[in-house]
């Protein structure tokens, strides 16, 4: 976009638009993710050393589960799939997937011994690079577009399940475009919402209800979501008079879910992470136990990046961790603060080396990743969620532990205060 002249006569600052999307828990890819993580959680309930790499395909009337699971626990994967589908809201054959009537097929094997030999001694379960990112543009230290998109899709599920909009069906998605002044969000520019609905509702009724009950409540929420955390500036970004709205832009959206599109585990990795605002190493998360560094390494990278920003060491930070299969120590750790760092990036990387043991087994122990904490991650993003403690399978466990800012003081000490 062209540069905009500041009203106070300051030099022109370039403005830009950035867009991210989210999908509801009833989106076919997210159904697959949630089934995969439901299976993982039950394995970890019974066997914290269990190895899981579980992939799911969902289509009209059919769920197919495949992968490698190594555990002595007896797991009824078909029952878990039906329970998950029921919780999401697919309980009617008219939706194309009915928890009670759908077919569930499985083809599961044990982990390859060639991989297990390296993992058993504490090495990484695969090679690859994982990225974590944080930015101070929101209290959650997440990019604004993906955060706001998640709020809309979560709200779609809330009003459906609460009965506020009973004609909604489980599938849906949202897209939010945010206008930035330099690197600061200034307003919500465009919102796109596609919401699956019953056939007897009119398009005008859909659009009026989505604006009133979904978009406005989701985007007008007080930006101070975390009491006690300082908010740098006014964050009231949504102005309905200036925002472009596209609600069910094709008109009718009755056929959806697995009837409208096949769902696969791991196909929404940008929705799961930062909405495209940061790089992604390529590996999906859901259905993988924490010895798979695709998952634990990405969580560790977010933990590290978030704490760098929370410590005031940078306004933006991306951390990359690279592993070799069967090798415990990372091949490399790279930090990029995009010119916003208060100290050089290499010094931040050295400080992270001092305060965090990035070996997979150490990360699992430090963050409690061998507990059944994964199903809640499988919809509405793995990052930017407030950590919480709850009872699960007889244990008190921390959900989203990689979102804690418990490295702030150690990092500051490692850098000399």
């Amino acid at each position: 976009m062209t540069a905009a002249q500041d009203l106070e006569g300051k030099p022109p600052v370039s403005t830009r638009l950035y867009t991210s999307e989210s999908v509801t828990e009833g989106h076919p890819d997210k159904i697959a993710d949630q089934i995969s993580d439901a299976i993982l959680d039950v394995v970890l309930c019974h066997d914290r050393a269990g190895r899981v790499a579980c992939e799911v395909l969902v289509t009209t009337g059919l769920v197919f589960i495949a992968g490698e699971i190594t555990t002595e626990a007896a797991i009824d994967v078909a029952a878990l799939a039906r329970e998950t589908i029921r919780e999401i809201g697919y309980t009617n054959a008219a939706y194309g997937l009915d928890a009670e009537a759908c077919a569930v097929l499985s083809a599961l094997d044990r982990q390859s011994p060639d991989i297990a030999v390296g993992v058993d001694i504490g090495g990484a379960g695969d090679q690859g690079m994982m990225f974590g990112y944080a930015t101070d543009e929101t209290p959650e230290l997440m990019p604004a577009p993906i955060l706001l998109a998640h709020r809309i899709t979560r709200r779609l599920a809330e009003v459906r399940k609460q009965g506020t909009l009973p004609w909604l069906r489980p599938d849906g998605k949202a897209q939010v475009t945010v206008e930035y002044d330099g690197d600061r969000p200034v307003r919500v520019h465009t919102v796109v919402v596609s919401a699956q609905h019953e056939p007897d509702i009119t398009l005008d009724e859909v659009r009026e209800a989505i604006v009133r009950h979904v978009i406005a409540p989701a985007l007008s929420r007080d930006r101070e979501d975390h009491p006690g955390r300082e908010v740098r500036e006014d964050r009231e970004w949504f102005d309905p008079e200036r925002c472009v709205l596209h609600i069910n832009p094709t008109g009718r959206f009755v056929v959806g879910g697995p009837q409208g599109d096949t769902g696969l585990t791991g196909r929404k990795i940008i929705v799961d992470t930062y909405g495209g605002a940061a790089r992604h190493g390529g590996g999906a998360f859901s259905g993988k136990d924490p010895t798979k560094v695709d998952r634990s390494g990405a969580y560790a990278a977010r933990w590290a990046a978030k704490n760098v920003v929370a410590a005031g060491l940078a306004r933006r930070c991306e951390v990359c961790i690279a592993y070799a299969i069967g090798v415990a120590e990372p091949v490399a750790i790279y930090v990029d603060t995009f010119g916003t760092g208060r100290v050089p990036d290499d010094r931040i990387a050295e400080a992270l080396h001092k305060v965090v043991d990035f070996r997979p087994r150490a990360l699992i122990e430090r963050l409690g990743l061998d507990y059944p904490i994964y199903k809640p991650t499988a919809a509405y993003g793995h990052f930017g969620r407030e950590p919480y403690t709850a009872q699960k399978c007889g244990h008190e466990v921390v959900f989203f532990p990689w979102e804690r800012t418990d490295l702030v003081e150690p990092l500051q000490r490692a850098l000399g205060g």
Side-chain angles (χ1 to χ4, degrees), residues 62-219:
L62 174 66
V63 178
F64 185 77
I65 303 168
E68 298 78 43
I69 298 180
T70 303
T71 182
E72 298 306 316
I75 307 298
D76 187 342
V77 295
L80 288 170
R82 295 186 192 281
E83 179 184 350
T84 302
I85 293 166
R86 190 180 306 114
E87 289 173 352
I88 293 169
Y90 283 98
T91 56
N92 188 330
Y95 297 173
L97 186 69
D98 180 358
E100 310 306 325
C102 66
V104 181
L105 307 178
S106 65
L108 296 167
D109 206 340
R110 296 175 68 86
Q111 184 180 60
S112 163
D114 296 339
I115 297 174
V117 69
V119 178
D120 290 342
I121 59 172
D126 201 353
Q127 69 179 39
M129 61 283 188
M130 296 80 216
F131 291 92
Y133 181 72
T135 171
D136 70 351
E137 63 191 68
T138 65
E140 295 86 351
L141 304 186
M142 286 286 289
I146 186 64
L147 195 71
L148 299 178
H150 284 323
R151 285 182 178 169
I152 293 173
T153 52
R154 185 185 289 275
R155 180 66 181 166
L156 276 173
E158 287 174 357
V159 297
R160 171 175 60 87
K161 292 182 174 182
Q162 293 168 359
T164 305
L165 302 180
W167 42 263
L168 280 175
R169 289 183 175 183
D171 197 1
K173 55 175 60 178
Q175 186 171 283
V176 175
T177 299
V178 172
E179 181 179 332
Y180 284 77
D181 187 345
D183 62 356
R184 296 301 188 194
V186 293
R187 73 181 181 102
V188 176
H189 182 279
T190 301
V191 174
V192 183
V193 176
S194 294
Q196 188 189 18
H197 57 83
E198 297 289 345
D200 56 353
I201 193 82
T202 69
L203 181 57
D204 287 342
E205 289 174 307
V206 170
R207 287 175 172 167
E208 188 277 332
I210 294 299
V211 171
R212 179 181 176 187
H213 294 287
V214 177
I215 296 175
L219 299 188

Side-chain angles (χ1 to χ4, degrees), residues 176-336:
V176 175
T177 299
V178 172
E179 181 179 332
Y180 284 77
D181 187 345
D183 62 356
R184 296 301 188 194
V186 293
R187 73 181 181 102
V188 176
H189 182 279
T190 301
V191 174
V192 183
V193 176
S194 294
Q196 188 189 18
H197 57 83
E198 297 289 345
D200 56 353
I201 193 82
T202 69
L203 181 57
D204 287 342
E205 289 174 307
V206 170
R207 287 175 172 167
E208 188 277 332
I210 294 299
V211 171
R212 179 181 176 187
H213 294 287
V214 177
I215 296 175
L219 299 188
S220 299
R221 188 181 306 174
D222 185 359
R223 298 280 77 80
E224 179 61 90
D225 288 332
H226 302 288
R229 182 178 295 167
E230 181 182 354
V231 177
R232 198 173 25 75
E233 58 188 32
D234 180 18
R235 295 263 168 81
E236 195 60 53
W237 295 322
F238 177 61
D239 180 352
E241 300 300 319
R242 298 180 64 207
C243 183
V244 179
L245 299 178
H246 296 288
I247 301 168
N248 283 20
T250 63
R252 183 178 170 91
F253 184 11
V254 174
V255 177
Q259 188 177 22
D261 187 15
T262 300
L264 296 170
T265 298
R267 202 160 59 174
K268 284 289 178 285
I269 56 177
I270 299 304
V271 172
D272 287 341
T273 54
Y274 309 100
R279 286 169 283 196
H280 193 288
F285 302 153
S286 290
K288 296 179 181 178
D289 75 79
T291 67
K292 280 73 171 174
V293 287
D294 280 344
R295 185 166 215 161
S296 54
Y299 290 169
R302 162 64 178 175
W303 182 40
K306 183 175 182 179
N307 276 269
V308 167
V309 175
L313 302 175
R315 289 186 18 248
R316 296 170 58 207
C317 181
E318 186 177 74
V319 174
C320 176
I321 310 172
Y323 291 94
I325 188 168
V327 179
E329 288 288 348
V331 174
I333 297 177
Y334 172 76
V335 172
D336 187 353

Side-chain angles (χ1 to χ4, degrees), residues 357-387:
D357 186 342
F358 286 100
R359 293 176 298 172
R361 185 172 291 174
L363 290 172
I364 291 169
E365 293 176 358
R366 177 87 180 259
L367 293 174
L369 299 181
D370 52 351
Y371 288 101
I373 59 174
Y374 294 104
K375 190 178 176 184
T377 69
Y380 312 115
H382 294 242
F383 308 122
R385 313 276 291 269
E386 191 72 3

